[in-house]
Amino acid sequence: MSDEGKGHWSTYIVVLILSIVFIYPLWILIIYVVQPAYLTFDRIYPAQIPLAFTLQNITQSFKEVDLVGPLERSLEVAFLVGGIALGLGIPAGYGLSKLTSGISNKLIVFLFIINMMPGLVIAIPISIYFLHANLDNTVFGVAFAQELVVLPLSVFISLSGFRSLPRDLEYQARVDGASFSSTFSRILLPMMKVPIMVAFLLAWMTSWDEFTYAVIIAPIVPTDSTFPVTLYNYVSRNLPLESATFALVATIPVIILAIILQKYLKGSYLSGGLVG
Amino acid sequence: MNVKMRYENVYKLYGNKRVLNKLDLEVYDGEFLVILGPSGMGKSTLLRTTVGIEDLTAGKIFLDGQDISKRPPNKRNIAMVFQNYALYPNMTVYQNIQFPLKMAKFEKSKIKGKIEAIAETLKISEVLQRGINQLSGGQKQRVALARALVRDPKIFLLDEPLSNLDARVRYTARAELKKIQKELGHTFVYVTHDQIEAATLSDRVAVLRDGRIEQIGEYDQILNEPRSKWLGDFVGEYPMNFIDGEYLNLPDKIIGFRDYWIKEGKSVSGRVELCTHEEGSYHISCFIESQNPEQDDGEKRVVLKTSKPYEINDTVGFDLNRYNIYNSEGVLEKVVK
């Protein structure tokens, strides 16, 4: 076999191993949810392949608990977090890209200081401020708190995106008669599709999964809290079947969003505009 | 001739470095002015300050008599083609050309016709609906030019637009560029370090050195009568030869002559170091003995164009058909024909 052929096969093997590592937990979740409990939780060594199929676990779980409320709330918070992350992250990234890299890198590190601290250390004091501002137990309150984690990353991704854009394209647009706002909206933003989508997806997924700020800012009441907090309640009450069902339900929006956005996640989007 | 654009005492400083240094220049209406100079002499900076993407440190730029120095780029009505073409990768060819018209709020009903007309002129009609990354280098250059030409700006600035093309395409593109400029009668300011481009495209050439115009005029004039030794060295396919004035009984002077300003004779003699054949003629590089050995290592290398080949270490003698006399500062004093 030629060296090229060996490289080809070794790539497939690596991809296969990585896929198994990443997909296996999801697979376990699926076979627990779609099989009767006597094949899974009631066994010491549950089967790794489905031997029976049932939707009863899902219907039963949804009957027992109001999941729609926490799901809606989590979706509201996640989209709000994603929106705010872009609304603030894109202008901030653009502004930082105009500074020398020495200054902008220092500022970015400064933004990440919050992420270097344990979430609780930050969450408890800000929850007091949020109480005063009547932001506790609100979608906005949870979203604002989660921005502390998400925003530095969004700014960083946005900054990297703007830095990678050739400055001459912006100049060319100005020379072609575009105002600053036209240049930004018609030239820069379309070329920033990939970083914007990545920043949004990361912000969305971080919020969707976020627990610490949600549990402190929003109360631990199943009908009012976000989905991860609700899920935590069931896990802590030793309801494994419901927990597995809810965990599977929680992955579905992430998968849908990733599928919708994947067409934008192309590295070659900017190719061809510049020569030399 | 009418002055289209005028630079008056223009300075551009980066920190302490004077990239444009008290530059004065007039660009005539309808001319093809080539700004020629080696890298790092301020050529691109001159265009970027003209178009407004960089601010002047001091001085003024007048376009059609109006001071445009402080105007933002979108209010100057100047088109520019960047060296890398800067085509918008998120748009088709058509949309790229359309962009400046849209920004100028050009009448919608006329946009299509205008784009088709310019595409016809530049022979890119068949690629109008293509994406930018589906174009060859030559096509990209034409699209960039079309985008600049389509909106009838007052003046066109071109920053080495042919430098990314391969030699054969560049040759054709050069001819077409000159033809388009003459047909449309627009004023072009074209920056390059390429001597051939300067010679073939220009009505006038302005040679830029250390941020100011060293000499401006027709290419042949600068080639034959460079005002300074530096210019003689820079302009031309081969650098101008410089020898001590002693050879022609001109003490304290420097004699400058081109490789082809010689005939066989005995005024000066040298030893052949290298002989190369070039399309019906020969170029020899030879050492001549210096009249001031203490000043310049005892030997001088000159390049001469001859009609016959020489062997290495042959002795060659020559007289000068014409020459320029420079003072010891390297400034042109007299042209002797």
Side-chain angles (χ1 to χ4, degrees):
Chain A
M1 190 184 285
S2 68
D3 284 351
E4 198 182 332
K6 281 178 192 168
H8 199 60
W9 280 107
S10 60
T11 306
Y12 278 121
I13 290 166
V14 169
V15 169
L16 188 68
I17 292 169
L18 285 176
S19 301
I20 290 169
V21 169
F22 287 122
I23 292 172
Y24 184 69
L26 187 62
W27 172 249
I28 292 295
L29 207 54
I30 291 168
I31 60 173
Y32 270 55
V33 170
V34 299
Q35 290 193 105
Y38 70 86
L39 289 172
T40 54
F41 289 105
D42 296 346
R43 282 189 175 186
I44 297 172
Y45 299 109
Q48 297 294 303
I49 52 167
L51 300 171
F53 179 78
T54 179
L55 289 174
Q56 201 187 348
N57 297 333
I58 299 174
T59 52
Q60 190 63 30
S61 301
F62 272 87
K63 268 182 199 164
E64 283 174 10
V65 185
D66 175 23
L67 265 186
V68 179
L71 268 175
E72 279 181 355
R73 188 161 190 164
S74 269
L75 282 172
E76 283 176 66
V77 172
F79 278 106
L80 194 59
V81 167
I84 296 171
L86 295 186
L88 295 178
I90 292 171
Y94 179 74
L96 287 173
S97 74
K98 296 288 179 187
L99 302 175
T100 61
S101 57
I103 295 173
S104 60
N105 289 346
K106 285 186 181 73
L107 288 171
I108 280 286
V109 170
F110 183 70
L111 285 178
F112 273 109
I113 283 176
I114 294 286
N115 284 8
M116 295 171 192
M117 297 179 183
L120 275 175
V121 175
I122 306 294
I124 291 168
I126 66 164
S127 68
I128 297 165
Y129 281 101
F130 278 25
L131 273 170
H132 288 305
N134 292 326
L135 281 169
D136 60 307
N137 193 25
T138 63
V139 168
F140 282 101
V142 179
F144 288 156
Q146 289 179 348
E147 286 299 338
L148 289 173
V149 182
V150 164
L151 201 53
L153 203 58
S154 307
V155 175
F156 180 70
I157 293 169
S158 170
L159 169 64
S160 305
F162 279 116
R163 272 187 187 158
S164 70
L165 293 185
R167 195 56 66 84
D168 277 354
L169 289 173
E170 187 178 348
Y171 292 150
Q172 181 70 59
R174 301 283 282 142
V175 171
D176 282 342
S179 62
F180 171 76
S181 59
S182 293
T183 303
F184 198 78
S185 61
R186 288 167 184 264
I187 303 297
L188 299 183
L189 281 187
M191 290 191 296
M192 283 284 289
K193 265 183 189 168
V194 175
I196 286 172
M197 292 304 160
V198 170
F200 181 80
L201 203 59
L202 280 177
W204 197 96
M205 288 198 299
T206 306
S207 166
W208 184 251
D209 194 37
E210 204 280 328
F211 180 77
T212 310
Y213 291 100
V215 83
I216 289 174
I217 305 295
I220 310 178
V221 177
T223 48
D224 286 346
S225 53
T226 59
F227 197 80
V229 178
T230 310
L231 190 61
Y232 168 75
N233 283 335
Y234 288 103
V235 174
S236 60
R237 281 190 223 160
N238 198 18
L239 295 169
L241 199 60
E242 286 80 357
S243 301
T245 307
F246 300 158
L248 185 63
V249 170
T251 60
I252 292 169
V254 181
I255 293 169
I256 293 172
L257 197 65
I259 290 170
I260 293 170
L261 298 184
Q262 70 163 347
K263 68 172 180 176
Y264 297 108
L265 305 179
K266 285 185 282 185
S268 61
Y269 190 71
L270 286 177
S271 67
L274 302 180
V275 175
Chain B
M1 288 184 89
N2 291 334
V3 174
K4 185 76 178 171
M5 189 159 67
R6 185 158 55 86
Y7 297 81
E8 200 175 274
N9 270 334
V10 163
Y11 287 87
K12 176 66 184 176
L13 275 71
Y14 293 120
N16 291 328
K17 190 172 190 297
R18 294 182 176 205
V19 180
L20 299 178
N21 188 14
K22 201 179 185 310
L23 182 136
D24 293 297
L25 175 65
E26 286 183 342
V27 183
Y28 298 142
D29 195 9
E31 79 166 329
F32 201 126
L33 177 71
V34 171
I35 309 287
L36 178 67
S39 298
M41 290 292 174
K43 303 188 299 294
S44 292
T45 306
L46 180 64
L47 293 197
R48 294 166 93 85
T49 51
T50 307
V51 85
I53 55 179
E54 287 187 32
D55 294 328
L56 289 177
T57 308
K60 286 180 176 175
I61 302 171
F62 296 91
L63 181 60
D64 283 338
Q66 290 186 316
D67 184 0
I68 58 161
S69 320
K70 305 283 182 199
R71 288 187 195 170
N74 54 330
K75 303 287 182 198
R76 295 194 181 195
N77 201 10
I78 298 174
M80 180 165 168
V81 176
F82 286 74
Q83 187 173 6
N84 54 26
Y85 309 143
L87 298 173
Y88 309 126
N90 55 318
M91 298 181 189
T92 63
V93 170
Y94 186 93
Q95 289 166 332
N96 261 276
I97 302 171
Q98 184 189 35
F99 186 76
L101 296 176
K102 271 181 139 180
M103 293 302 103
K105 296 188 168 54
F106 201 80
E107 210 175 314
K108 277 184 182 172
S109 58
K110 291 182 180 171
I111 285 181
K112 192 163 182 276
K114 205 161 168 58
I115 293 173
E116 282 170 357
I118 199 74
E120 185 72 30
T121 308
L122 287 161
K123 301 184 185 114
I124 49 171
S125 302
E126 71 281 8
V127 298
L128 278 177
Q129 298 310 324
R130 283 195 201 163
I132 295 305
N133 56 6
Q134 294 171 290
L135 303 179
S136 67
Q139 286 170 328
K140 285 180 183 175
Q141 184 260 336
R142 285 156 190 265
V143 174
L145 197 58
R147 185 176 57 184
L149 289 165
V150 76
R151 67 185 169 109
D152 295 327
K154 288 183 174 175
I155 197 162
F156 293 82
L157 311 180
L158 299 99
D159 190 357
E160 306 204 36
L162 306 183
S163 62
N164 286 311
L165 302 179
D166 59 53
R168 193 172 289 274
V169 180
R170 196 184 309 167
Y171 176 80
T172 320
R174 222 164 33 218
E176 286 177 357
L177 194 62
K178 180 73 178 171
K179 189 175 157 212
I180 288 165
Q181 189 266 336
K182 283 293 159 214
E183 278 176 5
L184 300 177
H186 291 309
T187 311
F188 275 33
V189 178
Y190 184 105
V191 153
T192 186
H193 64 270
D194 188 315
Q195 304 272 341
I196 301 170
E197 282 180 16
T200 52
L201 287 172
S202 65
D203 295 322
R204 287 193 306 156
V205 175
V207 183
L208 202 59
R209 182 192 181 193
D210 293 334
R212 65 171 74 189
I213 303 296
E214 184 84 352
Q215 187 170 354
I216 185 166
E218 290 180 14
Y219 182 79
D220 283 349
Q221 185 200 353
I222 299 175
L223 183 73
N224 295 329
E225 297 170 20
R227 276 187 201 158
S228 64
K229 270 184 74 182
W230 182 88
L231 272 166
D233 200 47
F234 173 67
V235 178
E237 188 183 359
Y238 289 90
M240 183 172 263
N241 298 304
F242 292 101
I243 59 173
D244 292 335
E246 306 278 350
Y247 287 106
L248 302 177
N249 295 321
L250 294 166
D252 301 327
K253 303 291 179 196
I254 299 164
I255 307 296
F257 63 97
R258 292 281 169 203
D259 53 322
Y260 46 87
W261 291 354
I262 60 159
K263 60 185 178 190
E264 278 191 53
K266 292 180 180 173
S267 305
V268 188
S269 66
R271 179 171 46 83
V272 175
E273 183 199 26
L274 183 70
C275 179
T276 55
H277 184 214
E278 290 176 20
E279 291 178 16
S281 65
Y282 297 87
H283 268 92
I284 56 170
S285 171
C286 63
F287 286 118
I288 58 168
E289 283 186 17
S290 174
Q291 300 296 92
N292 291 312
E294 287 172 6
Q295 283 181 14
D296 51 28
D297 302 330
E299 284 186 317
K300 280 270 184 192
R301 180 187 283 113
V302 294
V303 176
L304 310 173
K305 188 177 182 182
T306 68
S307 56
K308 62 179 184 181
Y310 284 85
E311 296 294 326
I312 293 173
N313 287 330
D314 278 357
T315 300
V316 58
F318 59 92
D319 292 334
L320 298 176
N321 287 329
R322 59 177 288 183
Y323 53 91
N324 300 335
I325 302 171
Y326 294 85
N327 65 18
S328 54
E329 305 291 313
V331 178
L332 180 65
E333 284 191 343
K334 193 178 176 187
V335 174
V336 181
K337 293 183 183 175

